[in-house]
Amino acid sequence: NANHAVVVDASASGLTVTDAGVCMGPADTTLRPCTKGYFCSPVSALVAQLSPATLHTVPRLCSEGFHCPEGSTTEQLCPDAFFQDEAGQSECKLCPAGRHCHQDGGVTAIHLCPTGHYCPEGQVPQLCPDGTYGNRTGLSEESQCEMCPPKMYCSGGFVQGFCEPGFLCRYGCSSASQSVSLYQNCISCPQNFYCPGATSVPEPCPNASYAVTQGPGAVSDTECGVCIAGQLCLGGAQPIPCLLGYYCPILVINGRNESRALPCAQGQY
């Protein structure tokens, strides 16, 4: 029709659409972008606005699971951490807390947040921090990650195994051989104790008041030494030579061997 500008929907009319997708007459040459929530074929992303009363367009309604901003030529999948459960939308919704929204085979899949992770609203899954683990699906906050249990270490969102010999793992440990921690909960086995492995409570050296180790990290009682007469061993500390003017016997007090420094008698040294 020479008097009207139209966009022809070939599927509806059986007519052949021109390369431009628009039959344009002298009455109106105004084009506008494809409407929000719709998409138009690549040859007709701009559709004719007819005047005065009739509007013929080729936009197609954006499907559920997709979004179509203004001027869209195709349906667009929602990016990870977003979803859309309604048709005809120009934007995606934030993925709900505790859910994992992601592209999967050309569609948006929505699952519970995977084990070992937590999923805040509108975010991709986050690993539980080292020293903690996620023991179930659907976590939405970091605070829902569990503290790593005693004797174990946790990293990558999961319990990885038992701590190694020579190390003390009380709770919240992130390594099998962690020697330093803020709250002294994951450290080398303390001096004058030994840790045979998978240890949350260190074993004292026999007769701890005088049996000592040469340093931290002992793995068995064979590394415990014994204070001998002539040495002073107090509070489990390393032996030192007996003080001048004193002698240092090993006394049995209440069934325990005790190291004591006693003053030499008058006239003796």
Side-chain angles (χ1 to χ4, degrees), residues 142-192:
E142 181 181 324
S143 61
Q144 293 175 304
C145 297
E146 299 284 344
M147 188 70 69
C148 198
K151 305 181 181 181
M152 315 289 285
Y153 72 99
C154 301
S155 62
F158 295 91
V159 177
Q160 299 293 344
F162 289 105
C163 291
E164 294 181 359
F167 294 90
L168 178 63
C169 295
R170 293 190 172 102
Y171 61 88
C173 298
S174 60
S175 168
S177 54
Q178 189 171 345
S179 58
V180 178
S181 62
L182 180 61
Y183 300 108
Q184 299 297 299
N185 51 308
C186 310
I187 56 175
S188 295
C189 196
Q191 188 171 351
N192 306 326

Side-chain angles (χ1 to χ4, degrees), residues 12-266:
S13 65
L15 299 178
T16 300
V17 181
T18 66
D19 289 342
V22 178
C23 287
M24 189 65 66
D28 188 0
T29 59
T30 303
L31 298 180
R32 65 181 178 82
C34 196
T35 306
K36 290 181 180 180
Y38 292 80
F39 66 101
C40 303
S41 59
V43 294
S44 58
L46 297 179
V47 297
Q49 172 68 60
L50 300 182
S51 179
T54 305
L55 176 64
H56 295 280
T57 66
V58 293
R60 296 169 58 187
L61 187 68
C62 202
S63 304
E64 180 181 328
F66 297 82
H67 70 293
C68 298
E70 185 178 58
S72 294
T73 60
T74 60
E75 295 179 304
Q76 301 177 40
L77 272 174
C78 291
D80 288 350
F82 292 83
F83 79 109
Q84 183 51 262
D85 57 355
E86 299 179 84
Q89 302 301 308
S90 61
E91 297 180 346
C92 295
K93 301 176 181 179
L94 293 175
C95 191
R99 297 294 188 272
H100 177 207
C101 303
H102 61 102
Q103 296 182 14
D104 183 8
V107 298
T108 299
I110 304 178
H111 300 110
L112 287 172
C113 193
T115 305
H117 300 73
Y118 62 97
C119 298
E121 182 185 35
Q123 295 187 33
V124 297
Q126 309 291 314
L127 277 173
C128 285
D130 287 348
T132 69
Y133 69 105
N135 63 349
R136 56 188 174 88
T137 58
L139 301 184
S140 59
E141 300 177 357
E142 181 181 324
S143 61
Q144 293 175 304
C145 297
E146 299 284 344
M147 188 70 69
C148 198
K151 305 181 181 181
M152 315 289 285
Y153 72 99
C154 301
S155 62
F158 295 91
V159 177
Q160 299 293 344
F162 289 105
C163 291
E164 294 181 359
F167 294 90
L168 178 63
C169 295
R170 293 190 172 102
Y171 61 88
C173 298
S174 60
S175 168
S177 54
Q178 189 171 345
S179 58
V180 178
S181 62
L182 180 61
Y183 300 108
Q184 299 297 299
N185 51 308
C186 310
I187 56 175
S188 295
C189 196
Q191 188 171 351
N192 306 326
F193 294 82
Y194 64 96
C195 301
T199 300
S200 60
V201 178
E203 299 287 343
C205 285
N207 293 327
S209 62
Y210 74 98
V212 295
T213 60
Q214 294 300 310
V219 301
S220 74
D221 59 1
T222 60
E223 297 180 63
C224 296
V226 177
C227 194
I228 60 176
Q231 295 179 326
L232 182 61
C233 309
L234 297 177
Q238 288 291 316
I240 60 173
C242 196
L243 305 176
L244 292 175
Y246 291 79
Y247 68 103
C248 296
I250 301 298
L251 305 177
V252 179
I253 301 175
N254 295 325
R256 293 177 57 87
N257 293 331
E258 299 282 352
S259 175
R260 294 293 176 88
L262 302 177
C264 292
Q266 186 175 359

